[in-house]
Amino acid sequence: MLKGSCLCGGVVYHADGKVRDASHCYCTMCQKGHGAGAGSYVNVGNAGLTYERGAELVTEFASSEAGRRGFCRVCGSTLYWRSTREPDNIAIALGTLEPEYDGPVQRELYTDTKPAWLPKA
Ligand SMILES: [Zn+2]
Ligand SMILES: [Zn+2]
């Protein structure tokens, strides 16, 4: 089971679903949404998050027709990305996990817009 929280600690969640894979996404929406070089996510099945607290703080932004980005409305932490076309899957922001994610990151997405200022692998 994966557990995590936002920066202010107002939102605490866990996800019981099956971990599918993890990715670093360099699309420009992830860069803006995270204020960072990539959006790093782990995809989990069974639709999702159970909130131990702070469910009322989670707000969604529709960044595209089907894309929904969940964040804490107090501190702004990005918590997840989900597609309304794939209701069984949720992509949890890796940096919100506690303890730190220790699985593999299998994929890099939208490498054509990967920022040049990121450290080279
Ligand atoms: Zn917060
Ligand atoms: Zn992205």
Side-chain angles (χ1 to χ4, degrees), residues 67-85:
R68 300 289 183 270
R69 292 171 187 269
F71 63 95
C72 170
R73 68 178 169 84
V74 175
C75 67
S77 288
T78 296
L79 296 167
Y80 64 83
W81 181 93
R82 69 182 181 90
S83 169
T84 57
R85 296 191 189 111

Side-chain angles (χ1 to χ4, degrees), residues 24-31 34 38-41 69 81 109-110:
H24 298 306
C25 181
Y26 305 107
C27 83
T28 54
M29 287 188 285
C30 281
Q31 289 185 45
H34 291 255
S40 298
Y41 292 105
R69 292 171 187 269
W81 181 93
L109 307 174
Y110 295 93

Side-chain angles (χ1 to χ4, degrees), residues 2-56:
L2 298 173
K3 295 178 140 190
S5 64
C6 65
L7 178 59
C8 76
V11 180
V12 176
Y13 67 81
H14 65 260
D16 302 310
K18 179 173 167 44
V19 173
R20 291 174 165 151
D21 60 7
S23 58
H24 298 306
C25 181
Y26 305 107
C27 83
T28 54
M29 287 188 285
C30 281
Q31 289 185 45
K32 287 280 189 188
H34 291 255
S40 298
Y41 292 105
V42 58
N43 287 297
V44 178
N46 299 330
L49 301 182
T50 301
Y51 294 104
E52 294 175 13
R53 68 166 183 259
E56 73 282 2

